[in-house]
Amino acid sequence: MKLKTILVALAATACFTSAFAQSPIVIKFSHVVATDTPKGQAAARFKQLAERATNGRVKVEVYPNSQLYKDKEELEALQLGAVQMLAPSLAKFGPLGVKEFELFDLPYAFPTKQALYNVTEGPIGKSLLKKLESKGITGLAYWDNGFKIMSANKPLALPSDFRGLKLRIQSSKVLDAQMRALGANPQVLAFSEVYQALQTGVVDGTENPPSNMYTQKMHEVQKYATLSNHGYLGYAVIVNKKFWDGLPADIRTALEGAMREATTYEKAIAQRDNDMALDAMKKSGRTQFITLNQQQQEAWKKALLPVHKQMEGRIGADLVNAIAKEGAK
Ligand code: LMR
């Protein structure tokens, strides 16, 4: 009788174990942008590649548009394990205590995408991702968006045009210094709140790559935008370290492969998506786009380049100098 009970219990355990083994590992991937942005499309591509590469043993659930969490909350949710994967902008790691990522916000730091890739794909990029580990986070890849344009309800051609304007920024202190260098008042707001803040006049303007401006319909509430390309916006794809380290090795290898492929895809579409978004906004006629002449560009640079020196204390002089060297190559 006793033996029978044990056998029944063992059989039940075996059933439970096999059911458990068969239920997929779920990766909740939360992000704040629209599905038709470079990040949104790459997240969808990663889902497809990851599920295929693991024969369905992994299920990726993508939650776009701040559906689950806003900027700051999503990082906390990742650390707590409520979601497993994110791709926050590089301007959003300061509040986490890894302020070196703000080097990507330095104005005019990257004259070309290649100069940027030399940083993200070289030793600097790798060492930055390593810094996340002490926060319980593993960095998997850098994703690209593009160079930013500046928008408002008045034309912004010279630094003096910024005086007194309230401009929305991400949580980076470098972006705060950038806006102050132009004479504006920076205001940190979550991405999901920007459209309404612009519409109601809580802020006067903002900066973003065209793909974000268009997919959030900001062009409907901004009369002017300057094609300044004064700064860069990119992402780090990150996972909860405990979750990642706890995955079976073959699954982790398959997911790394899927991430590599999704990253190649993301980089290939980022520029095209931004060009298309800019075209669509131009066609809509809601926003007037301003191109800076040589003299105006020089005035912007004169106002903004001192931010590099000013931010050495925050980012580290070594890193700021290393970026300058990469940019000059
Ligand atoms: C922003 O907050 O402006 C961007 O970081 C949003 C994003 O993720 O592209």
Side-chain angles (χ1 to χ4, degrees):
M1 185 64 189
K2 217 173 173 191
L3 183 65
K4 201 174 160 203
T5 314
I6 291 170
L7 286 176
V8 169
L10 278 178
T13 310
C15 269
F16 175 76
T17 310
S18 85
F20 185 71
Q22 274 160 21
S23 69
I25 298 165
V26 175
I27 296 181
K28 289 192 172 151
F29 186 165
S30 168
H31 69 79
V32 300
V33 294
T35 49
D36 50 350
T37 53
K39 176 162 62 179
Q41 292 175 81
R45 178 62 68 101
F46 172 72
K47 170 185 167 66
Q48 192 187 42
L49 292 165
E51 291 177 355
R52 196 191 304 150
T54 59
N55 287 321
R57 282 168 69 201
V58 168
K59 187 166 179 286
V60 181
E61 295 173 359
V62 182
Y63 298 93
N65 262 320
S66 309
Q67 229 172 64
L68 282 188
Y69 301 106
K70 294 192 211 173
D71 298 323
K72 196 165 170 287
E73 298 159 4
E74 68 172 16
L75 278 159
E76 288 160 7
L78 185 81
Q79 285 182 300
L80 291 171
V83 293
Q84 288 70 38
M85 189 175 278
L86 308 173
S89 122
L90 301 167
K92 290 177 184 168
F93 287 85
L96 197 70
V98 196
K99 43 195 194 303
E100 292 86 347
F101 276 94
E102 293 179 5
L103 70 86
F104 291 101
D105 303 325
L106 289 169
Y108 301 109
F110 306 101
T112 58
K113 280 273 173 86
Q114 193 51 53
L116 169 88
Y117 296 151
N118 292 345
V119 173
T120 51
E121 281 155 28
I124 298 177
K126 288 200 179 75
S127 75
L128 288 176
L129 293 182
K130 263 248 158 311
K131 283 184 193 292
L132 295 170
E133 285 183 7
S134 65
K135 310 289 172 193
I137 291 172
T138 300
L140 296 182
Y142 287 94
W143 283 1
D144 204 6
N145 197 333
F147 293 104
K148 293 177 286 188
I149 62 181
M150 199 76 90
S151 67
N153 278 322
K154 63 177 271 198
L156 302 170
L158 282 169
S160 54
D161 298 324
F162 285 80
R163 202 164 300 140
L165 290 186
K166 275 181 283 164
L167 297 184
R168 179 269 171 173
I169 56 164
Q170 307 175 75
S171 58
S172 155
K173 291 284 185 261
V174 172
L175 297 179
D176 184 282
Q178 169 198 277
M179 294 308 193
R180 288 183 199 281
L182 290 167
N185 299 322
Q187 198 162 322
V188 176
L189 282 178
F191 186 64
S192 56
E193 291 162 8
V194 181
Y195 176 86
Q196 210 186 355
L198 291 169
Q199 190 187 35
T200 55
V202 167
V203 290
D204 302 304
T206 190
E207 56 169 8
N208 248 302
S211 60
N212 274 347
M213 183 173 175
Y214 180 56
T215 53
Q216 295 297 317
K217 300 188 167 43
M218 293 181 203
H219 63 296
E220 294 179 0
V221 288
Q222 295 279 266
K223 290 202 182 75
Y224 297 92
T226 305
L227 303 172
S228 47
N229 295 329
H230 60 280
Y232 173 73
L233 181 74
Y235 310 104
V237 186
I238 56 178
V239 281
N240 176 294
K241 184 172 184 316
K242 207 164 153 207
F243 167 79
W244 194 250
D245 292 346
L247 289 172
D250 61 325
I251 294 274
R252 200 167 44 239
T253 304
L255 292 177
E256 280 164 358
M259 183 52 66
R260 266 195 303 278
E261 243 187 274
T263 299
T264 304
Y265 167 77
E266 204 275 345
K267 282 187 181 148
I269 62 167
Q271 191 59 48
R272 186 202 65 194
D273 272 16
N274 276 296
D275 293 344
M276 279 166 36
L278 184 57
D279 267 359
M281 288 192 287
K282 282 180 177 166
K283 281 204 187 92
S284 84
R286 307 286 287 263
T287 306
Q288 199 177 312
F289 289 89
I290 299 164
T291 305
L292 299 175
N293 65 30
Q294 186 76 27
Q295 210 184 347
Q296 290 163 334
Q297 276 181 39
E298 276 161 22
W300 281 57
K301 285 193 179 155
K302 189 161 175 249
L304 289 175
L305 287 175
V307 170
H308 290 223
K309 186 98 203 132
Q310 206 183 322
M311 286 292 114
E312 279 183 357
R314 180 160 175 88
I315 294 169
D318 286 0
L319 267 180
V320 173
N321 292 333
I323 297 303
K325 260 197 208 133
E326 287 295 341
K329 270 183 192 166

Short mmCIF file of all heavy atoms in Angstrom, two decimals, residues 273-298:
data_model
loop_
_atom_site.label_atom_id
_atom_site.label_comp_id
_atom_site.label_asym_id
_atom_site.label_seq_id
_atom_site.Cartn_x
_atom_site.Cartn_y
_atom_site.Cartn_z
N ASP A 273 13.99 53.99 -42.14
CA ASP A 273 12.77 54.35 -41.41
C ASP A 273 12.74 55.84 -41.08
O ASP A 273 11.69 56.49 -41.16
CB ASP A 273 12.68 53.58 -40.10
CG ASP A 273 12.02 52.25 -40.29
OD1 ASP A 273 11.90 51.81 -41.44
OD2 ASP A 273 11.62 51.64 -39.28
N ASN A 274 13.88 56.36 -40.68
CA ASN A 274 13.94 57.78 -40.34
C ASN A 274 13.76 58.64 -41.58
O ASN A 274 13.08 59.68 -41.54
CB ASN A 274 15.25 58.10 -39.62
CG ASN A 274 15.13 57.80 -38.13
OD1 ASN A 274 14.34 58.44 -37.43
ND2 ASN A 274 15.85 56.82 -37.65
N ASP A 275 14.35 58.23 -42.70
CA ASP A 275 14.18 58.98 -43.95
C ASP A 275 12.71 58.97 -44.38
O ASP A 275 12.16 59.99 -44.79
CB ASP A 275 15.04 58.37 -45.07
CG ASP A 275 16.52 58.55 -44.80
OD1 ASP A 275 16.88 59.38 -43.93
OD2 ASP A 275 17.33 57.85 -45.46
N MET A 276 12.07 57.80 -44.22
CA MET A 276 10.66 57.69 -44.62
C MET A 276 9.78 58.55 -43.71
O MET A 276 8.83 59.19 -44.17
CB MET A 276 10.20 56.23 -44.57
CG MET A 276 10.62 55.47 -45.83
SD MET A 276 10.48 53.66 -45.72
CE MET A 276 9.05 53.39 -44.75
N ALA A 277 10.09 58.55 -42.42
CA ALA A 277 9.29 59.34 -41.47
C ALA A 277 9.42 60.84 -41.79
O ALA A 277 8.43 61.57 -41.77
CB ALA A 277 9.75 59.06 -40.04
N LEU A 278 10.64 61.25 -42.11
CA LEU A 278 10.85 62.67 -42.43
C LEU A 278 10.06 63.04 -43.69
O LEU A 278 9.38 64.07 -43.73
CB LEU A 278 12.34 62.94 -42.60
CG LEU A 278 12.74 64.40 -42.85
CD1 LEU A 278 12.25 65.31 -41.74
CD2 LEU A 278 14.26 64.52 -43.01
N ASP A 279 10.12 62.18 -44.69
CA ASP A 279 9.37 62.42 -45.94
C ASP A 279 7.88 62.54 -45.66
O ASP A 279 7.21 63.45 -46.17
CB ASP A 279 9.55 61.23 -46.89
CG ASP A 279 10.70 61.46 -47.83
OD1 ASP A 279 11.32 62.55 -47.74
OD2 ASP A 279 10.98 60.55 -48.63
N ALA A 280 7.37 61.61 -44.85
CA ALA A 280 5.94 61.60 -44.55
C ALA A 280 5.54 62.89 -43.82
O ALA A 280 4.48 63.47 -44.09
CB ALA A 280 5.58 60.38 -43.71
N MET A 281 6.38 63.35 -42.91
CA MET A 281 6.04 64.58 -42.18
C MET A 281 6.10 65.78 -43.11
O MET A 281 5.27 66.68 -43.02
CB MET A 281 7.00 64.77 -40.99
CG MET A 281 6.74 63.79 -39.87
SD MET A 281 7.61 64.21 -38.35
CE MET A 281 9.29 63.78 -38.75
N LYS A 282 7.07 65.77 -44.02
CA LYS A 282 7.16 66.88 -44.98
C LYS A 282 5.89 66.91 -45.83
O LYS A 282 5.31 67.96 -46.06
CB LYS A 282 8.39 66.72 -45.88
CG LYS A 282 9.69 67.12 -45.19
CD LYS A 282 10.87 66.96 -46.13
CE LYS A 282 12.15 67.44 -45.48
NZ LYS A 282 13.35 67.01 -46.19
N LYS A 283 5.46 65.72 -46.27
CA LYS A 283 4.26 65.64 -47.12
C LYS A 283 3.02 66.10 -46.36
O LYS A 283 2.12 66.68 -46.95
CB LYS A 283 4.06 64.20 -47.60
CG LYS A 283 4.96 63.86 -48.76
CD LYS A 283 4.40 62.72 -49.61
CE LYS A 283 5.43 62.33 -50.65
NZ LYS A 283 6.33 61.24 -50.18
N SER A 284 2.96 65.82 -45.08
CA SER A 284 1.75 66.16 -44.31
C SER A 284 1.57 67.68 -44.21
O SER A 284 0.46 68.16 -43.99
CB SER A 284 1.82 65.56 -42.90
OG SER A 284 2.55 66.43 -42.05
N GLY A 285 2.65 68.42 -44.35
CA GLY A 285 2.56 69.88 -44.35
C GLY A 285 2.26 70.49 -42.98
O GLY A 285 2.04 71.69 -42.87
N ARG A 286 2.24 69.67 -41.94
CA ARG A 286 1.91 70.21 -40.60
C ARG A 286 3.11 70.94 -39.99
O ARG A 286 2.95 71.87 -39.24
CB ARG A 286 1.48 69.07 -39.65
CG ARG A 286 0.37 68.20 -40.18
CD ARG A 286 -0.97 68.92 -40.14
NE ARG A 286 -1.52 69.05 -38.80
CZ ARG A 286 -2.41 68.24 -38.27
NH1 ARG A 286 -2.85 67.21 -38.95
NH2 ARG A 286 -2.89 68.46 -37.07
N THR A 287 4.31 70.43 -40.29
CA THR A 287 5.53 71.00 -39.71
C THR A 287 6.38 71.56 -40.84
O THR A 287 6.50 70.94 -41.90
CB THR A 287 6.33 69.89 -38.98
OG1 THR A 287 5.48 69.26 -38.05
CG2 THR A 287 7.54 70.46 -38.25
N GLN A 288 6.96 72.71 -40.57
CA GLN A 288 7.89 73.27 -41.56
C GLN A 288 9.31 72.89 -41.14
O GLN A 288 9.69 73.10 -39.98
CB GLN A 288 7.74 74.78 -41.54
CG GLN A 288 8.28 75.44 -42.78
CD GLN A 288 8.02 76.94 -42.72
OE1 GLN A 288 6.90 77.36 -42.41
NE2 GLN A 288 9.05 77.73 -42.98
N PHE A 289 10.08 72.34 -42.07
CA PHE A 289 11.43 71.87 -41.72
C PHE A 289 12.49 72.88 -42.13
O PHE A 289 12.48 73.38 -43.26
CB PHE A 289 11.68 70.49 -42.34
CG PHE A 289 10.86 69.43 -41.66
CD1 PHE A 289 9.58 69.13 -42.11
CD2 PHE A 289 11.35 68.78 -40.54
CE1 PHE A 289 8.80 68.19 -41.45
CE2 PHE A 289 10.58 67.84 -39.87
CZ PHE A 289 9.31 67.54 -40.33
N ILE A 290 13.38 73.15 -41.19
CA ILE A 290 14.40 74.17 -41.40
C ILE A 290 15.77 73.50 -41.57
O ILE A 290 16.15 72.65 -40.75
CB ILE A 290 14.45 75.13 -40.17
CG1 ILE A 290 13.10 75.81 -40.01
CG2 ILE A 290 15.60 76.12 -40.27
CD1 ILE A 290 12.90 76.45 -38.65
N THR A 291 16.48 73.90 -42.62
CA THR A 291 17.86 73.41 -42.79
C THR A 291 18.79 74.55 -42.39
O THR A 291 18.60 75.69 -42.84
CB THR A 291 18.09 73.03 -44.27
OG1 THR A 291 17.09 72.08 -44.63
CG2 THR A 291 19.45 72.41 -44.48
N LEU A 292 19.77 74.25 -41.57
CA LEU A 292 20.68 75.30 -41.10
C LEU A 292 21.73 75.61 -42.17
O LEU A 292 22.28 74.69 -42.78
CB LEU A 292 21.39 74.84 -39.82
CG LEU A 292 20.50 74.55 -38.61
CD1 LEU A 292 21.33 74.00 -37.45
CD2 LEU A 292 19.75 75.80 -38.17
N ASN A 293 22.02 76.90 -42.36
CA ASN A 293 23.14 77.24 -43.25
C ASN A 293 24.44 77.11 -42.46
O ASN A 293 24.43 76.89 -41.24
CB ASN A 293 22.95 78.62 -43.89
CG ASN A 293 22.96 79.74 -42.85
OD1 ASN A 293 23.61 79.62 -41.81
ND2 ASN A 293 22.23 80.81 -43.13
N GLN A 294 25.55 77.28 -43.17
CA GLN A 294 26.87 77.09 -42.57
C GLN A 294 27.07 77.91 -41.29
O GLN A 294 27.51 77.42 -40.25
CB GLN A 294 27.92 77.49 -43.62
CG GLN A 294 29.36 77.23 -43.24
CD GLN A 294 29.67 75.75 -43.36
OE1 GLN A 294 29.06 75.02 -44.14
NE2 GLN A 294 30.61 75.28 -42.54
N GLN A 295 26.67 79.17 -41.41
CA GLN A 295 26.86 80.09 -40.29
C GLN A 295 26.03 79.67 -39.06
O GLN A 295 26.50 79.72 -37.93
CB GLN A 295 26.41 81.47 -40.77
CG GLN A 295 27.13 82.61 -40.14
CD GLN A 295 26.49 83.92 -40.66
OE1 GLN A 295 25.71 83.92 -41.64
NE2 GLN A 295 26.81 85.02 -40.02
N GLN A 296 24.81 79.26 -39.34
CA GLN A 296 23.94 78.82 -38.24
C GLN A 296 24.47 77.55 -37.59
O GLN A 296 24.48 77.42 -36.36
CB GLN A 296 22.51 78.61 -38.77
CG GLN A 296 21.82 79.91 -39.14
CD GLN A 296 20.62 79.70 -40.03
OE1 GLN A 296 20.52 78.71 -40.77
NE2 GLN A 296 19.69 80.64 -40.00
N GLN A 297 24.96 76.63 -38.45
CA GLN A 297 25.54 75.39 -37.90
C GLN A 297 26.70 75.70 -36.98
O GLN A 297 26.86 75.08 -35.92
CB GLN A 297 26.04 74.51 -39.03
CG GLN A 297 24.97 73.67 -39.65
CD GLN A 297 25.52 72.78 -40.76
OE1 GLN A 297 26.60 72.23 -40.65
NE2 GLN A 297 24.76 72.68 -41.84
N GLU A 298 27.52 76.65 -37.41
CA GLU A 298 28.67 77.01 -36.58
C GLU A 298 28.22 77.61 -35.25
O GLU A 298 28.82 77.35 -34.20
CB GLU A 298 29.60 77.96 -37.34
CG GLU A 298 30.56 77.17 -38.22
CD GLU A 298 31.18 77.97 -39.33
OE1 GLU A 298 31.23 79.22 -39.21
OE2 GLU A 298 31.60 77.35 -40.33
#
